[in-house]
Amino acid sequence: MESATSPLAAWRPPADALTLRSIDCHTAGEPLRVVVDGFPALRGSTQLERRRDCQQRFDHLRRALMFEPRGHADMYGAVITPAERADSAFGVLFMHNEGYSTMCGHAMPALAKLAIESGWVPASGARTRLNIDAPCGQIRLEADCEPRDGQWRVGRVRFLNVPSFVLADQQTIAVAGLGAVRYALAYGGAFYAYVDAAALGLSLATGNHAQLVDTGRRIKDAIVRAGTPISHPDSPDLGFLYGTIFTGPAPEAGAQYRNVCVFAEGELDRSPTGSGVSGFAALLHARGQLPLGQRLTIESVLGTRFQVWADAASRCGPHAAIVPGVEGEAHITGRHEFLLIPQDPLTPGFLLR
């Protein structure tokens, strides 16, 4: 193979190409493509306003970065914005195959790692704190840091999520091919339907991912089609069903639960889902099964793990809530320079499943 100094390295894109640069990461196996350069400035002073502006003016960039040939059906992305609040380091928007989420827990360890290791957010010692503005609200983070290779390196990251609550428990919906399915609705920065996998005879094993996606999509679609009311007291933009989470006991020692999340347009989360375990903690706390401060280890479809706990009691409008804490670790997988060249007919992207 030719070295990086070969003539191929001298290639330059045409002048009319749009260049978007990213640093890609994963947290517990779930990808995160962080756009660090080239994305247009967004209008609005709040993250929800910027989210709407991105939907209206730049959705073609979401599709180009998330869809094939640059991405895939389960790609996940983040766009950095200015901070919304005076005590936040920056803001972030989230994107995926269907659109734009309001919260992404697996993104938080990755964003803390990038911000601190790049020096954008200066490390303040072995435990460095920072706040990030998400569409759902302000997220408070604490990163484990150590000096290595002449710079600070980030290990595990903890964050306190927005107040999370149960919207409805012990609900039943008729689902084609499944019959009556019992579920709960809970919010952890986004709304999920929580379903006991054993009640459906559903395996949470890694090799059963295709059935999990199919079943998760059916349940979400049935709840949405039924017109089940889902609202958040802070904003109508937060009131939508994001996905289905199947819960069950962890098959291996060291974890208490396995949670498998199917969200957006049939995306299968490789991580335990940071916003998902937040809502699950709220659900367990409301059922009297999770005291304040008690930590749980929850694993994903891959067996990768987050820790979650109910850090404090809270309220969200009329709802009794908790402030969940979540802990995980991210890793950087590469740098990318994506080119959107007008002459390429597939620049808008496509998806094949």
Side-chain angles (χ1 to χ4, degrees):
M1 179 179 291
E2 295 285 347
S3 71
T5 57
S6 77
L8 292 176
W11 181 87
R12 295 293 181 268
D16 57 355
L18 173 64
T19 301
L20 295 165
R21 296 182 178 88
S22 75
I23 298 178
D24 282 22
C25 315
H26 80 85
T27 305
E30 178 68 1
L32 184 71
R33 175 162 290 162
V34 184
V35 183
V36 297
D37 187 41
F39 206 93
L42 296 169
R43 299 169 183 162
S45 59
T46 71
Q47 294 307 100
L48 285 175
E49 289 172 350
R50 293 164 182 156
R51 178 175 176 265
R52 287 194 293 271
D53 184 51
C54 197
Q55 288 172 323
Q56 294 165 8
R57 294 199 297 141
F58 300 116
D59 198 54
H60 62 288
L61 299 183
R62 173 191 67 85
R63 295 193 303 270
L65 289 167
M66 297 295 99
F67 290 6
E68 299 177 56
R70 298 168 188 84
H72 53 80
D74 294 289
M75 179 52 72
Y76 205 100
V79 176
I80 305 300
T81 75
E84 176 181 336
R85 297 166 179 83
D87 61 342
S88 292
F90 54 88
V92 62
L93 298 180
F94 309 113
M95 54 190 180
H96 45 69
N97 71 5
E98 186 182 43
Y100 305 84
S101 179
T102 50
M103 173 54 182
C104 175
H106 87 270
M108 293 301 154
L111 293 171
K113 184 178 184 71
L114 288 177
I116 294 170
E117 292 193 359
S118 69
W120 185 26
V121 173
S124 57
R127 291 197 168 183
T128 294
R129 294 180 177 176
L130 69 154
N131 299 331
I132 298 175
D133 289 325
C136 65
Q138 186 183 63
I139 312 300
R140 294 170 286 163
L141 299 89
E142 181 184 72
D144 291 341
C145 302
E146 64 173 355
R148 195 167 71 248
D149 306 325
Q151 69 180 87
W152 288 98
R153 298 294 183 183
V154 173
R156 295 189 68 78
V157 175
R158 293 159 293 283
F159 68 86
L160 295 181
N161 203 348
V162 294
S164 301
F165 58 90
V166 178
L167 184 64
D169 199 1
Q170 304 299 325
Q171 303 297 296
T172 302
I173 188 77
V175 182
L178 300 174
V181 174
R182 181 167 289 186
Y183 69 96
L185 288 174
Y187 178 83
F191 283 101
Y192 297 94
Y194 293 82
V195 177
D196 177 60
L200 299 181
L202 190 62
S203 167
L204 298 182
T206 307
N208 198 39
H209 55 86
Q211 185 181 12
L212 288 164
V213 169
D214 177 66
T215 307
R217 295 179 77 169
R218 286 198 213 178
I219 294 170
K220 175 185 173 180
D221 290 348
I223 295 171
V224 171
R225 283 198 310 271
T228 304
I230 298 175
S231 63
H232 191 284
D234 291 347
S235 171
D237 285 4
L238 301 173
F240 63 94
L241 183 61
Y242 189 36
T244 304
I245 295 181
F246 298 108
T247 67
E252 302 293 337
Q256 288 75 51
Y257 293 94
R258 173 169 284 199
N259 283 11
V260 179
C261 177
V262 181
F263 67 97
E265 191 60 42
E267 288 203 31
L268 178 68
D269 200 326
R270 276 69 170 162
S271 81
T273 311
S275 55
V277 298
S278 295
F280 190 51
L283 183 61
L284 292 176
H285 182 74
R287 290 174 175 175
Q289 298 172 5
L290 182 64
L292 291 178
Q294 179 179 314
R295 288 196 172 217
L296 295 176
T297 299
I298 300 181
E299 65 179 29
S300 72
V301 69
L302 295 179
T304 56
R305 296 176 175 183
F306 285 165
Q307 286 193 335
V308 65
W309 62 98
D311 192 75
S314 183
R315 292 200 69 82
C316 187
H319 306 290
I322 62 163
V323 175
V326 181
E327 181 175 317
E329 186 170 0
H331 301 273
I332 296 172
T333 59
R335 299 174 185 263
H336 298 278
E337 182 177 273
F338 295 103
L339 303 174
L340 278 60
I341 299 174
Q343 294 76 26
D344 179 359
L346 296 181
T347 291
F350 61 91
L351 288 179
L352 296 178
R353 299 195 76 110

